Amino acid sequence: MSDKTVLITGATGLLGRQCLNAFEEAGWNAIGTGFSRAKPPKIHKLDLGDSEAVTTLIDETKPKVVLHCAAERAPDKCENDREGTKALNVLATRSLASTCQSRGIILIYISTDYVFPGRPGEAPYSADAQTAPPNFYGETKLGGEQAVLEFGGVVMRVPVLYGEVEKNGESAVNTLMDAVYKAGKEKVEMDAWSIRYPTNTEDVARVLKDVAEKYTSEGSEKLPRVLQFSAEERMTKYEICQTMAEIMGLPLTHMVPNDTNDPNAAVQRPYDCHLSTQVLKDIGISVDTIPFKGWWQREVRAYKK
């Protein structure tokens, strides 16, 4: 078994692509899997629901670490396809966790802040805080966590992510740029109630690489199994739009902030699920993050003189 091989599921996605880059730059043999956007030979086409195919690929590549980024992560899609979401987020994760445990492979599972209820006044949530997902997406990610922990894996919870994208719709943050453009011409209602902590995929990938290296070193069996990483900048979606508009020099003439929550919405969103990063600090892993405004200034090449 190669000491420096990592198999990354969901490697064609928002986070997975950055993880491939981060591990490769650190000298790992990084192998990806994808499905609809797979690009052999670097990124293998793999149906995670096909346990036989998953086992075959693991036995062929012999990774030291499997980084499980693949998931259905859009809450509305999850609600509309409960069976498919459970199959990927829970059942495929359980099968993968079992396969990894039987081969002595470290599995790192990407989870979400949505395992917490996010009620006003409760955050920040420590890694051992009581979970209570507010929607079906969170329920399935918690189910995945439980399977991973049962088979000795590691859970990494992260909040809403942004970063380099193939299209803005890949990220619930990047896609707000489209709303900013639209608000210059027509009315756009924007959430000004729920608190988010947008976190850059470059930072998450760096932390995951550091975790992989620490958890494959001697004495790793004593390390905690539930980890959390988050940026600390607190923003509503409306405030994110304001920042983007400022950088781009665009008006938000027709954007209307909505500072109320709809308790009857089909998919409930939490108010504030801020994650404590104390456990990472305790084991010596840096939780530094890229400033939100600075990254967007760099991305759109709009530095102000």
Side-chain angles (χ1 to χ4, degrees), residues 11-114:
T12 59
L14 176 69
L15 177 59
R17 293 193 303 269
Q18 286 294 338
C19 289
L20 271 178
N21 293 338
F23 277 86
E24 285 180 344
E25 289 173 3
W28 286 68
N29 174 31
I31 301 167
T33 80
F35 190 66
S36 61
R37 292 184 286 174
K39 298 173 183 175
K42 184 176 180 180
I43 300 178
H44 298 255
K45 184 166 186 174
L46 182 67
D47 177 359
L48 290 170
D50 184 343
S51 59
E52 185 175 332
V54 172
T55 299
T56 297
L57 182 60
I58 286 175
D59 287 342
E60 287 176 352
T61 55
K62 296 179 169 54
K64 186 81 168 180
V65 173
V66 171
L67 178 57
H68 187 25
C69 297
E72 178 52 72
R73 55 184 177 78
D76 293 312
K77 288 183 181 179
C78 292
E79 188 64 41
N80 294 329
D81 181 14
R82 288 189 164 225
E83 186 176 338
T85 297
K86 186 175 181 181
L88 178 57
N89 290 2
V90 183
L91 302 182
T93 297
R94 171 172 287 278
S95 178
L96 182 60
S98 175
T99 300
C100 287
Q101 184 193 51
S102 67
R103 287 158 176 75
I105 299 166
I106 298 293
L107 174 64
I108 304 173
Y109 168 75
I110 306 304
S111 191
T112 173
D113 55 348
Y114 273 33

Side-chain angles (χ1 to χ4, degrees), residues 13-255:
L14 176 69
L15 177 59
R17 293 193 303 269
Q18 286 294 338
C19 289
L20 271 178
N21 293 338
F23 277 86
E24 285 180 344
E25 289 173 3
W28 286 68
N29 174 31
I31 301 167
T33 80
F35 190 66
S36 61
R37 292 184 286 174
K39 298 173 183 175
K42 184 176 180 180
I43 300 178
H44 298 255
K45 184 166 186 174
L46 182 67
D47 177 359
L48 290 170
D50 184 343
S51 59
E52 185 175 332
V54 172
T55 299
T56 297
L57 182 60
I58 286 175
D59 287 342
E60 287 176 352
T61 55
K62 296 179 169 54
K64 186 81 168 180
V65 173
V66 171
L67 178 57
H68 187 25
C69 297
E72 178 52 72
R73 55 184 177 78
D76 293 312
K77 288 183 181 179
C78 292
E79 188 64 41
N80 294 329
D81 181 14
R82 288 189 164 225
E83 186 176 338
T85 297
K86 186 175 181 181
L88 178 57
N89 290 2
V90 183
L91 302 182
T93 297
R94 171 172 287 278
S95 178
L96 182 60
S98 175
T99 300
C100 287
Q101 184 193 51
S102 67
R103 287 158 176 75
I105 299 166
I106 298 293
L107 174 64
I108 304 173
Y109 168 75
I110 306 304
S111 191
T112 173
D113 55 348
Y114 273 33
V115 298
F116 293 118
R119 291 181 287 259
E122 291 187 352
Y125 290 99
S126 61
D128 60 358
Q130 181 64 47
T131 54
N135 53 41
F136 185 69
Y137 163 66
E139 290 174 14
T140 63
K141 292 302 289 181
L142 180 59
E145 284 191 10
Q146 292 165 343
V148 167
L149 294 173
E150 178 184 338
F151 289 101
V154 179
V155 169
M156 173 66 83
R157 296 175 183 142
V158 296
V160 65
L161 303 180
Y162 73 97
E164 292 183 13
V165 295
E166 292 182 351
K167 56 182 180 180
N168 283 339
E170 284 190 309
S171 161
V173 177
N174 290 60
T175 197
L176 294 177
M177 185 65 82
D178 296 332
V180 168
Y181 280 113
K182 187 177 179 182
K185 302 175 183 178
E186 58 187 274
K187 181 181 177 180
V188 176
E189 190 171 291
M190 187 56 60
D191 178 20
W193 177 77
S194 181
I195 305 298
R196 311 306 297 270
Y197 298 83
T199 301
N200 195 282
T201 52
E202 291 176 43
D203 291 323
V204 179
R206 182 201 76 236
V207 169
L208 288 167
K209 183 267 299 178
D210 291 346
V211 167
E213 292 182 343
K214 184 170 284 286
Y215 278 67
T216 52
S217 61
E218 192 174 343
S220 62
E221 64 278 356
K222 297 178 182 178
L223 292 169
R225 309 318 276 185
V226 179
L227 308 172
Q228 299 183 156
F229 178 61
S230 173
E232 299 297 326
E233 292 179 90
R234 169 189 174 107
M235 287 178 269
T236 65
K237 283 187 175 182
Y238 181 68
E239 289 169 334
I240 291 171
C241 289
Q242 287 180 309
T243 299
M244 291 176 170
E246 178 189 343
I247 292 168
M248 296 295 291
L250 295 172
L252 283 180
T253 312
H254 303 291
M255 184 168 284

Side-chain angles (χ1 to χ4, degrees), residues 1 88 203 264 291 298:
M1 181 184 291
L88 178 57
D203 291 323
N264 299 313
R298 184 188 78 187

